[in-house]
Amino acid sequence: MKAQTLRGFRDYLPEEMLAKDQMLATIRRVFELHGYPPLMTPALEYASVLLGKIGDEEEMLLYRFLDHGERDVALRYDLTVPLARVMAQHGGLQMPFRRYQIAPVWRAEKPAKGRFREFLQCDVDLVGVDNAVADSEMLLIGCFLLDALGVTGYSLRVGHRGILAAMIAWLGIEGGKAERDFLRTFDKLKKIGPDRFKVEIDRLLGLGGEKVDALLALAGDSGSTSEILGRLGEELGEEAAEPLGRLEEVFALVDGAGYSDHVKIDVTIARGLSYYTGIIYETFLDDMSDYGSVLSGGRYDQLIGSLSGKEFPAIGISLGVDRLFSALKEMGILAQKSSPADVLVVQFSESKARSSVQLAQRLRDAGISALLYPTAAKLKKQFQFANNLQIPYTAVIGEEEERTGTLQLKVMESGEQFQLSLEDAVKRILSGGGGQ
RNA sequence: GUGGGUAUAGCUCAGCUGGUUAGAGCGCCUGGUUGUGGUCCAGGAGGCCGAGGGUUCGAGUCCCUCUACUCACCCCA
């Protein structure tokens, strides 16, 4: 046996999990602050539930096998299809239905940097409403979330599938493949620049000249949001009127909530997934543009209906938990700790074990995370342990302390040491910011 | 999926055109200091050189296969 994880799968060691769990706690808090409850669904689904709702390419990415009862099963590859299954399977759900779900998903694709075969996906969705209030709620959750995580420089770029459809008509593009090629290339415009865009669009679709120049001018982001929307309306005409009107409403609501600085229109946002039908958005970090979108989603009014047979307009956000985590780590806005403990209770000698165990328990009773060193190792070793794990305090009960009913509390960072009663030590730790 | 790169100690890496017992820094362990960490000093442990096969008198070094990682494209989270 060789100790080895499968390709594309990985371990998350305690130091990383401590920081990641803290980030996830913030994410959950933000969702619940918006009134969204959690949902949990099985990792395994009938393959028939997952198949057919996704493209042929995605079918190749399924981990699929026969279980012991010869059932054709597969690991979920996203959280949207399970949501749709839940909507179809459980009657009597209060509408509009909201939920968030943070759970691993599996895709058997080739791993790359920041891309794994098992990864944590985080989705928040609102089902049953198709209007500007619902659209803006998603954008506001995204902004609120990044603010809560301590991110300052970010922009949520908002587009609309209806505008893209109008552009396709305006350009005279016809056929499914041509449309997909256009969307994929247009989506990359910001990344590859206008020159390479022209080359690509000419190669794929044979488009060039004035029409493409006009398109590039139309896709520009100069001017205010309403100016941009007006420009699009004039050029694209009646076909784009409804989506543009929706965006105008959405931007007004976002502005009213005080988040207009972070939300910008960007008609080049296309999104890879084909099931989007309305507003779509991606989020980029100012200082970490090479990370790509960390938070994205859109409106998909047909998908759930196609699975459940009932009409379910829906809108959602997917969060790239691992990608966002890496970015936050690189930006240095995640707490770096190696242990959840506030205090290391040092075991002075084996004869003091009773006092040490008792002390650790009392500290925990007071709400302080206390770690007891499990052996009466040399004091040097125990203090070094606290140092390496960045535990802020150590507490020792030796001969003197046992006799007087006190303890030695040491502040590791400064090296200061005090002989205190338990009560005073608790107060000191809690006021020192190391508590909770 | 296509094309390139990498794989040597826990970590980051040296190891020249194949040539004795494979090195460094950091980390780890022990001691200097049997009531105290971060600094310093001394000593020590730890490697079938990713796995398997081949060429050779001889392979960490060259060739092939596999596995894993990585960069670009593709696609996404």
Side-chain angles (χ1 to χ4, degrees), chain A residues 227-243:
Chain A
E227 281 167 4
I228 294 171
L229 290 173
R231 201 159 65 214
L232 288 162
E234 274 174 38
E235 194 64 47
L236 298 176
E238 190 54 34
E239 191 159 353
E242 200 186 317

Side-chain angles (χ1 to χ4, degrees), chain A residues 414-429:
Chain A
S414 64
E416 297 172 284
Q417 202 161 313
F418 309 93
Q419 186 166 351
L420 301 170
S421 66
L422 175 70
E423 292 71 31
D424 289 343
V426 166
K427 274 184 212 156
R428 174 142 202 135
I429 293 166

